[in-house]
Amino acid sequence: TENILVLPDLEVSPPKHKMTQTIGKVNKKEIKTFFGNGGMPFIAARFIPFQDYISKTRYLKTIKILTNSDIRNAVFNLRIFTIDLKGEPVEYYNEGNILARCKKGKHITEIDVSNLNIKFPETGLLLGVENFIIVSNKYVYDYFDKATQKRMKATSYEPAFGGDMETVNNGWNYYFGTKWHKQVPWPVDYKNLKGKYHNLAVEVVLSD
């Protein structure tokens, strides 16, 4: 038997995030060291452990990274990985690439990921950045080689990503065709730096 149902109006609107909090800090003035790329596929990543206070704001809203680019509109990839019981990276945490562009020069680049509904995993979060080895990111520059006493040309793929020198090793690196490995400590003669581990500088804003 046919029947008519009268339904109330349905209003669809973006969620109202009332609670946010920030993990980490990207300080443009204090960061002096960068992860550059000369043409080899490479991912620099930072591990952020899960803390109890994160339970009320589990979703990633924005991610800030310090970029330094010699060209305009350089494109890079933001990677998010899961961690196994040994504390090592295993697989991508979200589907698809998270593409971002940055301005020429030294800037704090902010990536809005709120529409992806990425939940902070209880095993911790590994955030990585990856250069695209493509023509539009290519930058050729001159430099003076002290060994040969000649002017030379070199190539980089922009941008470079800022890193903090810290006493705790939260950094992971991945080179194409190899395995993930922890950051290697810098030489002890870098006395003017705060620590010996070059960790990717990341600022993450979480929301409920």
Side-chain angles (χ1 to χ4, degrees):
T1 303
E2 293 184 359
N3 191 15
I4 297 177
L5 298 176
V6 180
L7 301 176
D9 293 337
L10 178 64
E11 182 179 351
V12 179
S13 60
K16 297 179 180 180
H17 301 295
K18 297 181 180 180
M19 186 183 301
T20 62
Q21 64 177 322
T22 302
I23 300 176
K25 181 66 177 179
V26 176
N27 192 313
K28 181 178 177 180
K29 293 182 179 180
E30 290 187 1
I31 294 176
K32 306 296 183 182
T33 54
F34 288 83
F35 293 93
N37 193 303
M40 177 183 293
F42 167 77
I43 299 174
R46 182 189 185 98
F47 178 69
I48 304 174
F50 180 84
Q51 304 289 341
D52 291 338
Y53 66 82
I54 297 176
S55 59
K56 295 182 179 180
T57 52
R58 289 290 299 273
Y59 291 92
L60 274 63
K61 185 179 181 182
T62 59
I63 298 171
K64 294 181 181 179
I65 297 170
L66 182 62
T67 56
N68 193 2
S69 179
D70 287 302
I71 63 173
R72 296 179 180 177
N73 296 320
V75 184
F76 64 92
N77 201 10
L78 180 67
R79 297 286 200 179
I80 303 178
F81 301 91
T82 55
I83 301 295
D84 62 15
L85 296 177
K86 297 180 181 179
E88 297 180 356
V90 285
E91 60 185 7
Y92 297 128
Y93 184 56
N94 66 299
E95 295 182 1
N97 297 321
I98 303 176
L99 304 182
R101 290 183 182 272
C102 64
K103 299 178 181 178
K104 183 178 180 180
K106 188 177 179 181
H107 297 278
I108 295 178
T109 300
E110 182 174 357
I111 305 107
D112 187 347
V113 294
S114 57
N115 62 323
L116 300 178
N117 294 319
I118 301 174
K119 193 174 183 179
F120 199 109
E122 293 185 0
T123 54
L125 192 69
L126 187 73
L127 291 175
V129 287
E130 178 184 22
N131 293 93
F132 286 116
I133 313 301
I134 55 178
V135 174
S136 59
N137 282 347
K138 186 177 181 179
Y139 178 72
V140 180
Y141 60 96
D142 295 326
Y143 72 98
F144 182 74
D145 187 359
K146 293 182 179 179
T148 61
Q149 294 294 303
K150 294 181 179 180
R151 299 291 298 179
M152 308 288 287
K153 287 188 177 296
T155 300
S156 66
Y157 288 86
E158 303 301 305
F161 304 101
D164 286 321
M165 299 304 299
E166 300 172 324
T167 57
V168 179
N169 190 357
N170 289 316
W172 287 87
N173 292 336
Y174 177 81
Y175 294 92
F176 181 75
T178 64
K179 296 182 179 180
W180 283 97
H181 63 272
K182 291 284 288 182
Q183 275 285 354
V184 177
W186 279 33
V188 293
D189 57 329
Y190 284 86
K191 296 179 181 179
N192 59 325
L193 301 176
K194 295 180 180 179
K196 59 182 178 180
Y197 296 107
H198 191 209
N199 298 321
L200 180 70
V202 175
E203 183 175 328
V204 179
V205 176
L206 303 173
S207 63
D208 55 349

